[in-house]
Amino acid sequence: MTSGNLGEWNKKIGDEIVPGDVLVEVETDKATMDFECQEEGFLGKIFVESGTKEVAVGKPIGILVENKDDVDKFADYQLEETSGGDAPPAKAEAKDDKPQEKAKKTEEEPKEVKEEAEKPSKSTEKAASSASKPSGGRVIASPLAKSLAAEKGIDLSAVKGTGPDGRIVKEDVLNYKAPAKSATSSAASSKPSGSSAAAAPAPGASYVDIPLSNVRKVIASRLAESKQQIPHYYLTQEINVDKILKLREVLNSKANGKFKLSVNDFVIKASALALKAVPEVNSSWQGTTIRQFNSADIAVAVATDNGLITPILRSAENAGLSQISLSVKELAGRARINKLQPNEYQGGTFTISNLGMYGISHFTAIINPPHSAILAVGAATDKLVLDSAAEKGFRNSKVMNVTLSCDHRTVDGAVGSQWLTVFKSLLENPLTMLL
């Protein structure tokens, strides 16, 4: 992760902060998380406003001071004016300097700040579409206002600022309406770049452009990389699940509401035990080596409103069915409301994707790098099978198709087949998983 999106600030400038307080929401490449402060003090300055996209990792977003009296000392402090948009000097970082020292430094440097501020940087001039300066002096605008103006092709010199000392803020850009006579020429001359936000569709258009979230960008990047760089091959096996369904019914009847097992819980347990029996599948391609893992950390694909995420059940081979059931439900629940911590969805050694609940009988899944394999699980369906012991010579049975996608760099066809054989045996004889 190199950047993230900033959500809503939960604190305002001057608010008291204690350890554990949630300062702001941050959208990472996989989930939206609460940023909790681990120090106490007062919020002295906000550098990055709510809703800002693509905030670089390591960029200061605010200043925390120890004494409330120091808050006013940072009222006019502008990070971009002292750093030119690059990484800020140490004296502007809240965590590296004591607030009292920072306050003192800002009192000593107003002349320097003023002199630098009089000369807009080249990047600022470019972002403002090389706008000419108004006769009264330079254009004063917040970083977010400059960014929005660059995206929309708005000349900041034509925007009236409503902030302190006529400073142009985000709302001024959003509320700006270009004169009618220049609307056509502006639309013709402004060409959105690949990194710009999606342009508004023309009136009457039969489509809607949806901006990409960080999660969707990562899904697109990683899966495209997987299909382009990993030599996939696929192995499909039909599994009789009659005994699984009967055992599940018996165990659930004895649970007294403490848990409710699903077929997927048995699939996870069987996958973990099969990985221990055939460890070559529990591996990862490292370029010059193949890394083989000692524990089966199963990533379970969960569909959310923001896209697919794979919370991980660590050391699943050591977990009982009830523990697997409860853990997966808890992780999936928090995944759907964007409350997972990074360590709960990063890593893993093997992935399971189950579309059986949607009635899908068979599909193939794309390997989730750096894993060497992913198991695609279909729905249990009825099938007539020959049975000499049955009165009619046949009986109805429940069968389920599973497809193992393997990375041929780490898992040969014979090895993948061995894994599926062990997996099938465990599911068709589920009592062996309880031993």
Side-chain angles (χ1 to χ4, degrees), residues 152-153 178 182-192:
K152 296 177 178 293
S182 62
T184 303
S185 60
S186 297
S189 62
S190 61
K191 296 181 180 180

Side-chain angles (χ1 to χ4, degrees), residues 284-291 409:
S284 173
W285 177 260
Q286 299 293 314
T288 57
T289 61
I290 295 176
R291 179 171 298 167
R409 298 173 301 177

Side-chain angles (χ1 to χ4, degrees), residues 75-328:
D76 299 322
Y77 187 81
Q78 297 300 323
L79 188 63
E80 78 281 3
E81 293 178 347
T82 59
S83 62
D86 297 326
K91 60 188 175 186
E93 292 181 302
K95 293 185 178 180
D96 291 346
D97 288 324
K98 294 182 179 179
Q100 296 92 332
E101 294 175 354
K102 289 187 296 186
K104 181 178 179 181
K105 290 180 181 180
T106 53
E107 291 174 356
E108 295 172 352
E109 63 184 15
K111 182 177 180 180
E112 175 187 351
V113 172
K114 182 176 180 181
E115 290 173 351
E116 294 182 4
E118 292 297 332
K119 299 179 180 180
S121 65
K122 293 182 180 179
S123 61
T124 302
E125 294 174 352
K126 183 178 180 181
S129 303
S130 302
S132 59
K133 295 180 182 179
S135 57
R138 65 187 181 90
V139 175
I140 306 176
S142 70
L144 184 55
K146 294 174 185 177
S147 176
L148 287 173
E151 290 179 4
K152 296 177 178 293
I154 296 175
D155 183 351
L156 284 176
S157 64
V159 179
K160 182 178 180 181
T162 60
D165 298 323
R167 182 182 180 86
I168 300 172
V169 295
K170 176 181 69 173
E171 287 74 15
D172 298 327
V173 177
L174 294 176
N175 296 330
Y176 174 74
K177 293 183 179 180
K181 61 180 182 180
S182 62
T184 303
S185 60
S186 297
S189 62
S190 61
K191 296 181 180 180
S193 64
S195 60
S196 298
S206 59
Y207 64 89
V208 175
D209 289 335
I210 302 174
L212 296 178
S213 66
N214 276 3
V215 174
R216 181 55 56 188
K217 290 178 183 177
V218 170
I219 291 174
S221 174
R222 287 173 61 83
L223 295 188
E225 173 190 350
S226 176
K227 287 296 286 184
Q228 292 168 1
Q229 299 185 11
I230 297 178
H232 286 60
Y233 72 91
Y234 311 95
L235 301 171
T236 300
Q237 185 70 274
E238 183 181 87
I239 298 174
N240 186 306
V241 293
D242 286 340
K243 292 181 179 179
I244 284 283
L245 295 177
K246 290 179 181 178
L247 179 58
R248 171 177 171 265
E249 182 179 358
V250 171
L251 293 176
N252 282 340
S253 66
K254 304 292 185 181
N256 295 323
K258 295 180 180 179
F259 57 85
K260 186 177 182 181
L261 300 179
S262 67
V263 173
N264 203 50
D265 299 327
F266 289 89
V267 170
I268 293 172
K269 181 66 175 180
S271 297
L273 294 177
L275 289 173
K276 296 299 290 183
V278 188
E280 293 87 348
V281 179
N282 198 36
S283 61
S284 173
W285 177 260
Q286 299 293 314
T288 57
T289 61
I290 295 176
R291 179 171 298 167
Q292 198 169 106
F293 299 97
N294 296 325
S295 63
D297 298 335
I298 307 295
V300 182
V302 175
T304 72
D305 292 339
N306 292 326
L308 195 68
I309 191 169
T310 52
I312 299 167
L313 187 64
R314 308 284 179 182
S315 300
E317 75 276 11
N318 297 325
L321 288 168
S322 62
Q323 181 183 348
I324 289 175
S325 178
L326 295 173
S327 297
V328 170

